[in-house]
Amino acid sequence: MDEMEEELKCPVCGSFYREPLILPCSHNLCQACARNILVQTPEAESPQSRRASGVSDYDYLDLDKMSLYSEADSGYGSYGGFASAPTTPCQKSPNGVRVFPPAAPPPPHLPPAGLAPVPRNACLTCPQCHRSLILDERGLRGFPKNRVLEGVIDRYQQSKAAALRCQLCEKAPKEATVMCEQCDVFYCEPCRLRCHPPRGPLAKHRLVPPAQGRVSRRLSPRKISTCTDHELENHSMYCVQCKMPVCYQCLEEGKHSSHEVKALGAMWKLHKSQLSQALNGLSDRAKEAKEFLVQLRNMVQQIQVPYQPARETNPQQENSVEFEACLVAQCDALIDALNRRKAQLLSRVNKEHEHKLKVVRDQISHCTVKLRQTTGLMEYCLEVIKENDPSGFLQISDALIRRVHLTEDQWGKGTLTPRMTTDFDLNLDSAPLLQSIHQLDFVQMKVSLIHRAQRSGTTASSPVPAPPILQLEECCTHNNSATLSWKQPPLSTVQVEGYILELDDGNGGQFREVYVGKETMCTVDGLHFNSTYSARVKAFNKTGVSQYSKTLVLQTSEGCNFETQSAPYSQLVDIKKLVAVAWFSFDPGSAHSDILFSNDNLTVTCNSYDDRVVLGKTGFSKGLHYWELSIDRYDNHPDPAFGVARVDVLKDVMLGKDDKAWAMYVDNNRSWFMHNNSHTNRTEGGITKGATVGVLLDLTRRTLTFSINEDQQGPVAFENMEGLFFPAVSLNRNVQVTLHTGLPVPEFYTSRASMQ
């Protein structure tokens, strides 16, 4: 039950709930903590003054459903529903939840905090979801008490306490000796003599041993729930539309006249059944998570097995004494070169080893935290089911059922799939080197063998495969990717075990392997725009690698022009990518889990009040690129951000808060440029529904520029942009945007470029 303890602690004080209240958002607060974080609103913005001006309470509350706080903020904020609400620095509770600082202590003449009247026009902000709530004339009494949570905490604390302690000792409570059933208090012997003498009215009280008192307290019926509007009436029915217990007087007053009302006991049993069914699915997920953790830990043990490369053997060759010294020096030079290459390869193996361990350990840590939270929620729900208070149970059952389903859905988003395999996908291609070693010989001996073969009229057959043939009709390019296809010659009889596809860096540099396998088609992604690439392919088997004599050149930008030339590979394909514009969409694979996609991944929004980041599918490292984002929905004045980012940018904070993003964030009046949480160049002009934000990335001049409705925002936003950048957006549930790509460069930029 240790995991359940987080469910039982107040997000403000970090201690177990004391007299918990149920807020309309289904979260809980201690009554004292709720009073401490109350904020008095301006008189001009009170519900009474708004009614006088013709604005209904419904409109007022609807405007104030949420505040602008989030973990990505700078630490200050204001209530969304007030025109001039006070700004208050945020603090963090022991649980890490952001809350307001405690209110100033009341004057001495006021009653204690639990009885003190709530200030007029008071407002309460939930520290967990940041929803702002306006209190009516009843104040905190308008929120029902969570007696089910009190019962669960009582049982939890009793299960943890080895011995019952006196409740009246000021320091170091002593072990209790008796309990008064009437006072419901545990006493040690000194405190009983001092505070509960056996005389006067106290003589009639019944004192029992502590253990018996614990049992009697557990078995004693709890106080019957009363209506928050009619404190003398007990709950007897349940309103399905309002999702709350009601009394008969509420029904007589007509508050729920058009609502569906059912018996309290029947709805109690129904919701218990629904919660139990939801827990069955979550329990299965928790069981799978435990098995998944065992699998991950086994993977760690397998990955930690040290990699033992094969030991190389050097053939011994003998020759005459006069050539021995020269031969040894030449072979030693080859061995030194091989050892240097061996050290480089081992370094790559070690990096792969450390990378695999880091990925799996990070996944273990993440899964362990999620499993602990899931187990805590399950234990808390099971304790809630044990409660016999229908009214109290129904007050929290809907929220618990939603949490259980949401937690179960989070387990189903690929979290139980290993992000890394235990296999090392590093296959050493030693065939070319072995073939070269076998061909290592004295020049005179080679010449004599050739002459001998020419004189006999015979040639030795080669066991290596024949060169593959690139199928030009199936090779194509799209955006920054290229698809290549090849096949073996029809008359080739040598067995082929696989192929090696190599690509250069787009600038005529060295070739690198991009594919090794048995397939005869491969698509290479992530190429630079407006670059010329050279690709080549070769076949191999156990004997060696194919050797070629002719090369075929294909330039897709100028049609199919063929020419032959000598090269170590049989076919060389030059892919000249002259793409004027880029077409792309948002990438669901790298986005935060709260991002919602539609319209073929061109439209995004979010289901969270906090800012979440989504990237585009295409990365840019060269050329000039421009795209736009239209604002489809803009509610409650949020601060969306638009720009570019690295692939490893933080996904759970506003774009530009870390050093991996360059962005412009805007509200309805102004815009700012932000990088690494540093704000620069505030400009006038914000966004509304229907506005268009333009992003122009010029990697030739290494600049980033923004526009709103085709008006450039300030000067160049960022300079010295180098590397690989992905289009990026951060937004919350109040914003929806649609991406438009394949657009020409705007006029304000082309005219400026022509003047330079």
Side-chain angles (χ1 to χ4, degrees):
M1 296 177 65
D2 292 338
E3 290 86 352
M4 185 178 62
E5 188 168 317
E6 295 180 8
E7 299 280 343
L8 309 180
K9 289 186 176 181
C10 174
V12 177
C13 63
S15 302
F16 288 107
Y17 286 103
R18 296 183 297 274
E19 297 182 340
L21 302 177
I22 306 176
L23 303 182
C25 56
S26 302
H27 295 124
N28 299 286
L29 273 182
C30 297
Q31 182 172 343
C33 296
R35 184 171 295 278
N36 285 339
I37 65 175
L38 285 177
V39 174
Q40 189 169 3
T41 64
E43 179 69 23
E45 294 295 334
S46 65
Q48 291 81 0
S49 63
R50 294 185 68 87
R51 279 196 294 269
S53 62
V55 181
S56 67
D57 288 345
Y58 175 82
D59 296 332
Y60 176 77
L61 293 174
D62 185 62
L63 288 173
D64 197 40
K65 285 185 177 178
M66 62 165 287
S67 67
L68 299 180
Y69 290 135
S70 74
E71 289 298 335
D73 290 340
S74 60
Y76 290 81
S78 61
Y79 291 101
F82 305 127
S84 59
T87 57
T88 309
C90 293
Q91 294 181 348
K92 285 199 176 184
S93 72
N95 282 1
V97 179
R98 303 177 64 182
V99 299
F100 290 108
H109 65 276
L110 292 181
L115 303 176
V118 174
R120 189 178 181 185
N121 304 331
C123 176
L124 176 68
T125 299
C126 175
Q128 290 183 286
C129 66
H130 308 307
R131 177 179 175 182
S132 298
L133 309 167
I134 304 298
L135 275 63
D136 56 18
E137 61 276 1
R138 296 175 299 171
L140 295 178
R141 291 185 293 104
F143 299 140
K145 293 185 178 181
N146 194 339
R147 296 185 312 281
V148 173
L149 179 57
E150 284 183 313
V152 174
I153 293 174
D154 185 40
R155 289 199 300 270
Y156 180 80
Q157 290 178 325
Q158 289 177 6
S159 66
K160 292 295 183 181
L164 294 171
R165 300 290 178 179
C166 176
Q167 295 177 266
L168 298 181
C169 291
E170 295 183 358
K171 296 181 179 179
K174 300 178 182 178
E175 185 173 351
T177 56
V178 294
M179 174 200 171
C180 177
E181 290 187 339
Q182 284 71 29
C183 300
D184 195 19
V185 176
F186 290 93
Y187 299 94
C188 66
E189 191 61 24
C191 292
R192 183 189 67 80
L193 296 175
R194 184 177 71 255
C195 303
H196 200 288
R199 60 179 178 271
L202 298 178
K204 297 180 180 181
H205 288 195
R206 182 168 178 250
L207 302 179
V208 297
Q212 182 180 347
R214 172 189 283 179
V215 174
S216 62
R217 173 186 282 184
R218 188 178 301 173
L219 297 179
S220 62
R222 297 193 180 275
K223 183 180 178 181
I224 300 176
S225 172
T226 58
C227 181
T228 55
D229 295 328
H230 312 96
E231 296 182 355
L232 299 180
E233 300 296 337
N234 298 332
H235 290 142
S236 57
M237 302 296 287
Y238 181 80
C239 179
V240 178
Q241 277 77 7
C242 299
K243 297 183 179 180
M244 60 179 295
V246 296
C247 67
Y248 82 94
Q249 192 168 346
C250 294
L251 300 179
E252 289 182 352
E253 292 176 355
K255 294 182 179 179
H256 307 271
S257 58
S258 61
H259 295 177
E260 181 182 2
V261 180
K262 293 188 177 181
L264 192 67
M267 293 302 295
W268 174 41
K269 294 180 181 179
L270 176 62
H271 280 230
K272 272 198 173 185
S273 175
Q274 291 177 354
L275 182 57
S276 299
Q277 292 176 1
L279 280 176
N280 289 335
L282 185 59
S283 177
D284 294 338
R285 292 294 183 182
K287 182 180 179 181
E288 294 176 5
K290 292 179 181 178
E291 296 174 353
F292 181 60
L293 282 174
V294 174
Q295 178 185 354
L296 291 178
R297 292 190 177 98
N298 291 336
M299 290 176 63
V300 171
Q301 295 179 357
Q302 297 178 25
I303 293 174
Q304 286 179 331
V305 175
Y307 178 73
Q308 305 258 346
R311 180 174 299 176
E312 304 290 347
T313 59
N314 297 311
Q316 297 181 355
Q317 300 184 9
E318 297 181 356
N319 205 339
S320 59
V321 176
E322 57 270 20
F323 295 107
E324 183 175 352
C326 180
L327 175 61
V328 170
Q330 290 176 329
C331 290
D332 288 341
L334 294 176
I335 293 173
D336 290 340
L338 182 60
N339 286 331
R340 289 193 298 270
R341 187 57 180 168
K342 175 182 175 182
Q344 295 173 356
L345 295 176
L346 286 177
S347 176
R348 289 179 55 188
V349 171
N350 291 333
K351 289 181 180 179
E352 180 72 6
H353 171 261
E354 295 299 329
H355 174 67
K356 286 180 176 289
L357 285 178
K358 182 179 183 302
V359 170
V360 178
R361 283 170 174 164
D362 290 345
Q363 193 173 10
I364 289 176
S365 176
H366 174 74
C367 189
T368 301
V369 172
K370 185 177 289 291
L371 178 60
R372 183 172 66 251
Q373 295 172 349
T374 301
T375 306
L377 178 60
M378 291 171 54
E379 292 179 355
Y380 173 60
C381 292
L382 291 174
E383 291 298 323
V384 169
I385 291 177
K386 295 178 183 178
E387 286 295 312
N388 296 322
D389 181 2
S391 174
F393 178 84
L394 291 173
Q395 288 175 330
I396 64 174
S397 57
D398 283 297
L400 285 178
I401 292 172
R402 287 195 303 270
R403 286 186 62 190
V404 168
H405 283 304
L406 179 60
T407 305
E408 182 182 1
D409 293 340
Q410 291 175 349
W411 279 112
K413 295 180 180 178
T415 54
L416 300 183
T417 301
R419 300 174 185 170
M420 185 64 64
T421 64
T422 59
D423 300 330
F424 283 84
D425 299 326
L426 300 174
N427 298 320
L428 184 62
D429 183 14
S430 59
L433 181 60
L434 291 175
Q435 184 175 3
S436 299
I437 292 176
H438 292 154
Q439 294 175 352
L440 186 64
D441 204 344
F442 297 103
V443 176
Q444 291 181 349
M445 186 178 296
K446 279 188 174 181
V447 174
S448 62
L449 289 175
I450 293 174
H451 287 311
R452 191 182 308 164
Q454 291 176 347
R455 286 194 301 268
S456 61
T458 61
T459 58
S461 61
S462 174
V464 298
I469 299 175
L470 282 165
Q471 303 186 82
L472 303 181
E473 65 278 4
E474 296 186 15
C475 297
C476 62
T477 63
H478 177 71
N479 274 350
N480 61 338
S481 65
T483 299
L484 299 174
S485 177
W486 59 88
K487 64 180 180 180
Q488 282 297 107
L491 301 179
S492 176
T493 59
V494 179
Q495 184 178 1
V496 176
E497 294 192 0
Y499 301 92
I500 301 174
L501 176 64
E502 296 182 350
L503 211 66
D504 71 350
D505 60 358
N507 291 320
Q510 294 183 349
F511 283 86
R512 58 185 176 87
E513 294 181 0
V514 296
Y515 172 75
V516 177
K518 296 182 179 181
E519 300 296 331
T520 58
M521 178 176 290
C522 177
T523 298
V524 184
D525 297 320
L527 303 178
H528 297 306
F529 283 89
N530 304 323
S531 300
T532 300
Y533 284 90
S534 297
R536 60 190 186 186
V537 63
K538 56 184 177 180
F540 66 89
N541 58 15
K542 293 182 179 179
T543 304
V545 183
S546 58
Q547 296 291 322
Y548 312 124
S549 59
K550 298 293 183 181
T551 301
L552 184 64
V553 177
L554 168 65
Q555 294 182 336
T556 57
S557 61
E558 301 175 1
C560 296
N561 299 330
F562 302 94
E563 57 181 285
T564 59
Q565 54 182 306
S566 300
Y569 290 81
S570 65
Q571 293 174 322
L572 184 68
V573 178
D574 285 343
I575 308 169
K576 191 169 185 180
K577 305 181 66 60
L578 298 177
V579 182
V581 294
W583 302 84
F584 59 92
S585 60
F586 289 115
D587 183 14
S590 63
H592 193 279
S593 58
D594 290 339
I595 296 293
L596 304 177
F597 295 84
S598 60
N599 189 24
D600 294 331
N601 298 332
L602 292 175
T603 301
V604 293
T605 184
C606 181
N607 61 9
S608 171
Y609 285 108
D610 294 328
D611 291 304
R612 305 303 189 204
V613 173
V614 57
L615 301 180
K617 277 190 174 181
T618 301
F620 303 113
S621 60
K622 290 184 178 181
L624 178 63
H625 310 281
Y626 176 73
W627 61 93
E628 292 180 345
L629 299 110
S630 58
I631 311 301
D632 303 332
R633 180 166 50 82
Y634 186 78
D635 303 329
N636 298 327
H637 309 305
D639 298 332
F642 312 89
V644 297
R646 306 291 191 192
V647 69
D648 55 345
V649 65
L650 295 178
K651 305 298 195 308
D652 55 355
V653 298
M654 179 184 287
L655 197 68
K657 287 288 185 178
D658 62 356
D659 61 348
K660 302 298 177 62
W662 295 256
M664 175 185 71
Y665 75 95
V666 295
D667 59 14
N668 60 328
N669 293 318
R670 295 174 300 275
S671 62
W672 295 262
F673 303 143
M674 182 166 61
H675 170 64
N676 200 14
N677 205 21
S678 176
H679 306 71
T680 59
N681 296 335
R682 185 182 74 175
T683 59
E684 298 298 329
I687 61 172
T688 59
K689 179 180 178 181
T692 299
V693 177
V695 183
L696 195 150
L697 178 63
D698 188 347
L699 292 172
T700 303
R701 294 185 175 90
R702 301 185 299 171
T703 60
L704 180 63
T705 309
F706 298 97
S707 64
I708 297 179
N709 297 329
E710 298 185 356
D711 292 332
Q712 183 175 347
Q713 296 299 294
V716 173
F718 300 100
E719 297 179 335
N720 300 320
M721 305 289 290
E722 291 185 351
L724 181 63
F725 301 95
F726 290 83
V729 177
S730 70
L731 71 173
N732 63 15
R733 65 184 305 167
N734 292 313
V735 185
Q736 177 175 301
V737 301
T738 296
L739 176 66
H740 305 278
T741 62
L743 303 176
V745 177
E747 294 183 359
F748 74 83
Y749 194 80
T750 54
S751 60
R752 187 182 69 183
S754 62
M755 292 186 297
Q756 294 179 353

